[in-house]
Amino acid sequence: MNIWDQAHECMVREELEQLQLERLQATLNRVHKNVTFYRNKFNELGFIPEDIRSRADLTKLPFTSKEDLRVNYPYGMFAVPLREVVRIHSSSGTTSKPIVVGYTKNDIRIWSNLVARFMMAAGVTHDDLVQIAFSYGLFTGAFGLHYGAEAIGASVIPMGTGNTEKQIMIMQDYKTTVLVSTPSYALALALRMEQMGIDPKSLSLRIGLFGGEPWSEKMRQDIETKLGLSATDNYGVSEVIGPGVAGECQCKNGMHIYEDAFIPEIIDPKSGNVLPRGSVGELVLTTLTKEAFPMIRYRTRDITSLDYSQCECGRTLVRMKKITGRTDDMLIIRGVNVFPSQIEEAIYSAAKSSAPYQIVVERKGAMDSLDVIIEVTGEIFSLELQKQRSFLETVKKRIISVTGIDVSVKLVEAKSLPREGGKIVRVVDKRQM
Ligand code: DLL
């Protein structure tokens, strides 16, 4: 029943845990030998890979954070020489420098097969025409889904993002059956079709694979009725692999985590302690198969919980609930990760000093917008109007070049931004999913 890798997706739990342990030991040996960062951390703790005798021993290991990846930019966390790396992707960092991740040939093969799992679980077959409306480039989304669809043997339409009317024309003319995008872009497509008077029934769409940002059950219903397809959720993190960490089956009741490739843990974000089964907390992931970029206990900062009960689909893999929030201040705007610190850095470098600012995020129609409001300070005030304009332009350009998303930047009077306890609320997120 739509299962791509029966042997791994339906394993008896005891066997799965034995496989995890073996793969974990191999991964720890690999990072101990090849990644200075991990070798130093392990030495500090007096830990050697042989100390891992059961899965529970995982808690002896240190966490890895985005900050660790930033410090080791660009290739410090790679566990193979660059000549063995066949692909590089990246993801937002907390500063203007992104995080760099790499894949060996074997990593790409495994990644494609993991993505094929959730595509097939959603009902995709080799007869489908898959339109990929993610950005092709450093973002892991487009290439991840592209290779997964090819592994299944479906026909891929590598459309990329934007150009909504052309997307719709291609859907009509090429008879697209599967749409791959962020959920918010799926809604934007639906709204545009409504405006153009196009009946979704006249299209051939039957399945939607959506991920890269949080969305609600209400959004699922909207997308399903407006586009006339079955909408499924899939989850991933670039540092861990990209899409292909977890995906829904047709029961649509949680995303199966591919536990033969990743060990999930739920921790209390403050104490770092592992929480009892079923608790809500921060998801931590350890990779078990990756050669080029293994991650030990990577703190995703995503809040969710795990459900170990048996799923009706026959898979024995644990399911994660929808992501309900973050334990840091990262925003996801149209599928793109943005940190307020990146914006602050852009303002600082243009103003040559700090300036009070606020970030306002809204959902206009189906699309997110990000406005940066900066208070006029002594320095900015003293600039002539012409220079103020060019200051705003510089800030805007810097933000766009670092984050890749379009923003609006405006100046307001000194002390006019609302304060709480004397402090400006940095981010006002008005979106309702
Ligand atoms: O967004 C990978 C991906 C691409 C997954 C396409 C699915 C589809 P990053 O750019 O590194 O990687 O962003 C990872 O996005 O930590 C979550 O906060 C969020 N995220 C990803 N998928 C989901 C989802 C890709 N299905 C960050 N639901 C993660 C909620 C999601 N949040």
Side-chain angles (χ1 to χ4, degrees):
M1 188 184 113
N2 295 333
I3 299 183
W4 177 253
D5 184 347
Q6 180 94 24
H8 290 109
E9 295 181 69
C10 304
M11 262 182 144
V12 175
R13 187 141 284 273
E14 265 173 22
E15 287 170 19
L16 172 66
E17 290 188 358
Q18 181 56 33
L19 178 70
Q20 286 182 319
L21 181 60
E22 286 162 19
R23 290 184 169 175
L24 177 62
Q25 283 162 338
T27 301
L28 291 176
N29 276 314
R30 169 179 287 277
V31 299
H32 185 253
K33 193 164 150 239
N34 301 327
V35 185
T36 312
F37 166 81
Y38 282 119
R39 190 166 46 250
N40 291 345
K41 280 242 171 173
F42 291 0
N43 288 347
E44 271 166 36
L45 295 167
F47 169 87
I48 51 167
E50 289 70 29
D51 287 342
I52 291 280
R53 297 217 174 78
S54 75
R55 242 196 59 161
D57 288 336
L58 191 60
T59 54
K60 293 181 182 163
L61 295 167
F63 293 115
T64 310
S65 66
K66 217 184 234 297
E67 176 61 14
D68 297 326
L69 306 191
R70 188 186 69 72
V71 171
N72 288 286
Y73 176 86
Y75 298 132
M77 301 295 279
F78 281 34
V80 296
L82 273 182
R83 65 173 178 277
E84 284 179 37
V85 170
V86 299
R87 179 93 65 75
I88 285 172
H89 281 288
S90 81
S91 133
S92 314
T94 47
T95 64
S96 54
K97 297 281 188 194
I99 301 297
V100 183
V101 300
Y103 305 77
T104 62
K105 241 185 197 163
N106 198 39
D107 288 334
I108 296 281
R109 188 184 59 78
I110 292 176
W111 186 21
S112 312
N113 278 284
L114 291 173
V115 171
R117 288 187 190 183
F118 70 76
M119 295 189 95
M120 182 166 262
V124 177
T125 73
H126 52 74
D127 292 327
D128 278 301
L129 281 141
V130 183
Q131 184 160 333
I132 301 192
F134 276 140
S135 156
Y136 275 82
L138 290 171
F139 177 56
T140 49
F143 282 98
L145 271 288
H146 184 120
Y147 275 58
E150 280 192 1
I152 291 179
S155 314
V156 178
I157 308 169
M159 178 64 203
T161 45
N163 212 340
T164 304
E165 285 180 18
K166 188 166 174 198
Q167 298 264 8
I168 295 170
M169 180 199 81
I170 285 182
M171 262 180 218
Q172 287 175 312
D173 296 353
Y174 300 10
K175 308 212 176 341
T176 303
T177 56
V178 177
L179 173 65
V180 171
S181 70
T182 57
S184 56
Y185 191 58
L187 263 187
L189 277 168
L191 287 183
R192 191 76 201 99
M193 276 194 303
E194 243 169 45
Q195 288 160 355
M196 290 164 76
I198 296 170
D199 177 2
K201 289 198 194 78
S202 69
L203 301 173
S204 312
L205 286 177
R206 52 182 213 97
I207 295 169
L209 297 159
F210 305 121
E213 64 181 10
W215 53 310
S216 60
E217 286 304 325
K218 159 92 182 40
M219 269 178 86
R220 188 198 313 261
Q221 279 164 16
D222 267 10
I223 295 172
E224 290 194 331
T225 37
K226 292 200 166 111
L227 287 180
L229 48 68
S230 162
T232 57
D233 195 0
N234 67 86
Y235 169 85
V237 182
S238 304
E239 292 86 337
V240 174
I241 201 161
V245 172
E248 279 182 335
C249 59
Q250 282 168 11
C251 301
K252 298 184 185 170
N253 188 16
M255 295 178 273
H256 290 281
I257 301 184
Y258 305 127
E259 288 175 279
D260 51 313
F262 311 100
I263 299 183
E265 297 171 277
I266 296 289
I267 63 158
D268 173 340
K270 288 215 174 74
S271 67
N273 293 335
V274 173
L275 295 172
R277 275 194 173 188
S279 312
V280 175
E282 181 183 325
L283 178 68
V284 170
L285 292 166
T286 297
T287 67
L288 297 175
T289 67
K290 281 176 74 198
E291 294 177 343
F293 201 80
M295 279 288 104
I296 309 299
R297 303 192 86 200
Y298 182 70
R299 291 194 57 166
T300 66
R301 303 284 173 184
D302 289 318
I303 299 171
T304 183
S305 62
L306 302 180
D307 178 357
Y308 283 88
S309 67
Q310 178 69 43
C311 181
E312 280 170 32
C313 73
R315 288 176 186 79
T316 50
L317 302 166
V318 68
R319 282 168 289 167
M320 60 182 270
K321 292 260 152 62
K322 274 192 175 297
I323 304 289
T324 53
R326 302 262 315 163
T327 63
D328 63 4
D329 55 2
M330 187 182 93
L331 296 161
I332 308 187
I333 315 288
R334 289 174 239 137
V336 178
N337 303 346
V338 180
F339 285 93
S341 50
Q342 295 174 304
I343 291 174
E344 182 160 323
E345 212 179 77
I347 298 172
Y348 190 89
S349 68
K352 309 273 183 301
S353 74
S354 60
Y357 71 95
Q358 184 173 60
I359 296 167
V360 180
V361 187
E362 276 176 276
R363 184 153 282 180
K364 293 177 183 156
M367 295 307 276
D368 296 338
S369 70
L370 192 149
D371 299 325
V372 180
I373 306 166
I374 305 172
E375 273 185 3
V376 165
T377 57
E379 283 100 276
I380 301 172
F381 181 67
S382 63
L383 302 174
E384 309 139 27
L385 208 56
Q386 184 59 31
K387 285 198 179 142
Q388 282 190 3
R389 256 193 230 122
S390 93
F391 165 75
L392 287 179
E393 212 30 56
T394 310
V395 175
K396 185 177 157 91
K397 274 197 194 132
R398 277 182 208 252
I399 297 175
I400 294 174
S401 102
V402 172
T403 64
I405 57 159
D406 196 9
V407 295
S408 91
V409 185
K410 62 178 184 197
L411 284 175
V412 292
E413 267 176 48
K415 304 262 179 276
S416 65
L417 286 172
R419 277 145 168 95
E420 270 174 27
K423 284 190 190 159
I424 296 173
V425 183
R426 280 281 163 253
V427 179
V428 180
D429 194 340
K430 298 184 179 166
R431 288 175 294 184
Q432 280 176 347
M433 297 289 164

